[in-house]
């Protein structure tokens, strides 16, 4: 939840001025000490103070080398990545690393229980995403519990021999990216479904690009292996060309042949999901402060506003007060993904909640408040912050964002691009030229190269990765342009390859400009 700066200063026993100094170092904007800051920033400040207490590592230095500082990162990641740094700082200054520091989350990490993985299924149209989800739902969900009525709530829980797996049941990368575009991460693992008779298709590449941009581990399910014309080997070879090397070819990509029709291989797939989850060491504290993300919201004619929320940390209880954006509500009733009434829900549980007055959008973050008064305060605080930000927006335009300030480690810069062209030939020609433009200190990352006009999905991907969309002989539709405008994404169209390349040169130069 958001915290006022002076409250935090008081809680941590430091001067307000000191707090503002740290915030300046982090590049976080505020209006006064009564402005509120994000929870993730709070964690970061605590880490900086802890590191300073250990050995006087200046706040600035720590901020500059902390990639987890972006306020959009999940708190769990902040914890994992910043904790060793505090210890590092201690080691550098000669102080013995303290194992049981109260402020260092690393010591408590081990006691936080594991949670079930949340999985999303992506891939090209007709490659079998829906069929695979249906098969898993049919065989792994105890629908009897809820009288056999399985209603779509946006996610479901599958029970496997290795434990629970939660599936987001809106297949496709649109849902995934919409959630990510709001700064939330819901999926822990992405299943890329590729039909064995069709191999890699444009949306397969998109799905892969989206999973890579989100740094979500991928498992490839080669589907439809029951078909006589199935050619799983070709799929594997094609993947290799994207630098995704299957395990059996010496790489680290897990590839599982399956059939959503006969069920062949589905058990293996589920096992690999559990295995990947184990490696990822997914944990969440059921006793911690609640936080969650909206999976979907809708209005039901009888029930009213219904929202499916994924619990990420803590536990939800009926009658809790929740805040989403600038709205709050009290949980009147909760049902699990089987439609069964429940009184509480812990981490990695999708729950359908009755009690919001407005329909929340997927990807919005949900927090809880102690009571109605506190909920109102949070909402009022957010409205204040929004107004401040609206006021500041024009002034800020053109200035570097927090992400820029805290950008990649070292001096290597990355220019993220999404490339759209009219033919495969032009895509390849442009990629060939771009590859030669790379320098030791500038990496050109073509996140996605596709044929045809840019899509809304491209814009969302670009906005989360701060990429520029370059079009050659194709133009964005009005709708896509509008989304790009609101997201602050640049779409540039060219009819001459060398003009496009000039633009890339400009982007390379722009990125070479010293950050202060
Ligand atoms: P989606 O667009 O990716 O969700 O694909 P669907 O699940 O709708 O599947 C597209 C078509 O492929 C449907 O006609 C399915 O019946 C068929 N299909 C899906 N999986 C399999 C499979 O494993 N084997 C065969 N033979 N057909 C499949």
């Amino acid at each position: 939840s958001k915290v006022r700066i002076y409250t935090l200063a008081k809680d941590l026993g430091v001067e307000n001025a000191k707090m503002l100094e740290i915030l300046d170092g982090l590049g976080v904007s505020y209006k006064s000490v009564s402005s509120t800051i994000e929870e993730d920033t709070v964690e970061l400040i605590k880490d900086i103070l802890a590191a300073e207490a250990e050995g006087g590592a200046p706040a600035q230095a720590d901020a500059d080398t902390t990639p987890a500082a972006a306020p959009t990162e999940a708190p769990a990641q902040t914890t994992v990545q910043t904790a060793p740094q505090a210890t590092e700082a201690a080691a550098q200054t000669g102080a013995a690393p303290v194992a049981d520091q109260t402020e260092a989350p690393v010591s408590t990490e081990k006691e936080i229980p594991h949670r079930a993985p949340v999985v999303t299924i992506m891939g090209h149209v007709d490659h079998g995403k829906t069929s695979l989800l249906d098969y898993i739902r049919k065989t792994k969900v105890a629908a009897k519990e809820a009288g056999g009525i399985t209603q779509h709530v946006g996610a479901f829980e599958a029970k496997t021999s290795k434990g629970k797996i939660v599936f987001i049941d809106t297949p496709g990368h649109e849902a995934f990216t919409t959630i990510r575009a709001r700064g939330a991460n819901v999926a822990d693992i992405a299943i890329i479904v590729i039909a064995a008779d069709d191999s890699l298709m444009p949306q397969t590449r998109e799905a892969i690009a989206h999973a890579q941009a989100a740094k979500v581990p991928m498992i490839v399910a080669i589907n439809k292996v029951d078909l006589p014309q199935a050619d799983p080997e070709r799929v594997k070879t094609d993947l290799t060309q994207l630098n995704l090397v299957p395990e059996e070819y010496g790489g680290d990509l897990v590839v599982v042949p399956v059939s959503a029709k006969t069920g062949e291989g589905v058990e293996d797939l589920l096992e690999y999901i559990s295995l990947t989850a184990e490696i990822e060491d997914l944990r969440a504290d059921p006793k911690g402060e609640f936080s969650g993300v909206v999976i979907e919201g809708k209005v039901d004619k009888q029930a009213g506003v219904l929202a499916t929320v994924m619990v990420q940390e803590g536990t939800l209880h009926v009658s809790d007060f929740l805040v989403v954006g600038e709205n709050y509500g009290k949980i009147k009733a909760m049902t699990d993904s089987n439609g069964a009434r429940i009184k509480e829900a812990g981490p990695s549980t999708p729950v359908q909640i009755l009690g919001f007055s407005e329909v929340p959008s997927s990807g919005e973050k949900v927090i809880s408040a102690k009571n109605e008064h506190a909920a109102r305060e949070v909402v009022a605080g957010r409205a204040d912050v929004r107004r401040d930000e609206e006021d500041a927006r024009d002034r800020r335009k053109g200035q570097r964002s927090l992400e820029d300030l805290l950008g990649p480690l070292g001096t290597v810069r990355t220019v993220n691009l999404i490339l759209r062209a009219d033919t495969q030939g032009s895509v390849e020609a442009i990629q060939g030229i771009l590859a030669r433009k790379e320098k030791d200190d500038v990496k050109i990352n073509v996140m996605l190269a596709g044929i045809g006009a840019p899509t809304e999905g491209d814009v969302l991907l670009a906005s989360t990765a701060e990429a520029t969309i370059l079009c050659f002989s194709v133009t964005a539709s009005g709708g896509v342009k509008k989304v790009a405008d609101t997201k602050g994404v640049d779409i540039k169209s060219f009819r001459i390859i060398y003009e496009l390349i000039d633009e890339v040169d400009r982007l390379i130069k722009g990125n070479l400009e010293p950050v202060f």
Side-chain angles (χ1 to χ4, degrees), residues 17 34 39 83 85 103 113 126 134 138-139 153 164 246 296-297 331 344 363 375 384 462 489 495:
S34 57
E39 195 174 0
Q85 288 206 342
E103 283 295 273
D126 279 349
D134 285 348
K138 205 173 68 199
T139 53
V153 299
K164 187 175 96 171
E296 62 175 44
I331 303 180
E344 54 176 44
D384 278 351
V489 170
R495 302 232 154 248

Side-chain angles (χ1 to χ4, degrees), residues 7-306:
T7 316
L8 182 66
K10 207 171 126 207
D11 289 351
L12 298 176
V14 299
E15 298 281 316
N16 284 326
K18 169 76 183 167
M19 199 59 80
L20 297 183
E21 188 188 308
I22 296 176
L23 288 169
D24 288 338
L26 289 170
V28 175
S29 57
Y30 56 81
K31 207 168 166 187
S32 68
V33 287
S34 57
S35 302
T36 57
I37 50 176
E38 294 285 345
E39 195 174 0
D40 293 354
T41 314
V42 173
E43 289 308 317
L44 206 62
I45 291 171
K46 286 184 185 167
D47 288 338
I48 290 169
L49 288 170
E52 279 189 7
E54 276 306 316
Q60 186 72 46
D62 213 37
D64 280 346
T65 54
T66 308
T72 49
E73 294 286 325
Q77 286 172 323
T78 313
T79 315
V80 174
Q81 297 185 7
T82 53
Q85 288 206 342
T87 327
E88 237 172 65
Q92 276 163 14
T93 51
V98 186
D100 58 353
Q101 276 177 42
T102 38
E103 283 295 273
V106 80
S107 59
T108 52
E109 198 75 13
K110 287 283 169 284
E111 293 136 37
I112 296 174
H114 282 108
R115 62 174 179 83
V118 179
V119 176
T120 184
I121 296 194
M122 304 196 278
H124 196 70
V125 63
D126 279 349
H127 279 198
K129 300 178 294 291
T130 312
S131 306
L132 190 57
L133 279 166
D134 285 348
Y135 184 87
I136 296 168
R137 196 189 347 245
K138 205 173 68 199
T139 53
K140 298 292 166 189
V141 175
K144 284 178 225 101
E145 287 169 17
I149 313 150
T150 39
Q151 44 162 352
H152 170 98
V153 299
F156 67 87
E157 298 173 66
K159 290 198 173 67
T160 77
S161 56
K162 295 271 175 0
K164 187 175 96 171
I165 300 173
V166 183
F167 287 90
I168 303 286
D169 74 355
T170 314
H173 52 263
E174 290 78 8
F176 179 76
T177 311
T178 309
I179 289 175
R180 284 231 316 134
R182 292 207 166 81
N185 266 326
V186 167
D188 303 301
I189 298 169
I191 307 296
I192 309 290
V193 174
I194 308 177
D197 61 339
D198 210 17
S199 199
L200 265 68
M201 283 292 156
Q203 285 161 36
T204 319
R205 294 194 182 87
E206 289 177 22
I208 291 170
H210 283 259
Q212 285 175 330
K215 299 193 171 64
V216 173
M218 272 184 282
I219 295 176
V220 168
I222 302 186
N223 190 33
K224 307 197 189 184
V225 291
D226 60 285
L227 291 175
Q229 67 273 33
D231 188 357
E233 285 310 310
R234 182 181 150 215
V235 177
K236 287 180 211 166
T237 321
D238 288 352
L239 281 166
T240 312
Q241 276 162 11
L242 290 182
N243 281 327
L244 294 168
V245 185
E247 275 182 334
E248 49 192 297
Y249 292 2
D252 52 16
L253 179 71
V254 175
V255 175
V256 192
V258 300
S259 166
K261 192 177 171 192
T262 68
E264 180 189 342
V266 174
E267 281 300 328
D268 294 339
L269 178 65
L270 297 175
E271 281 219 8
Y272 276 113
I273 293 171
S274 300
L275 206 68
T276 308
E278 224 173 89
I279 295 166
E280 294 292 304
D281 199 30
L282 308 168
R283 294 169 190 267
D285 190 357
K287 296 196 189 79
E289 199 177 325
F290 165 78
S291 69
V293 173
V294 176
I295 302 289
E296 62 175 44
K298 65 181 174 195
V299 184
D300 181 272
K301 277 203 203 84
Q302 276 136 37
V305 174
L306 290 172

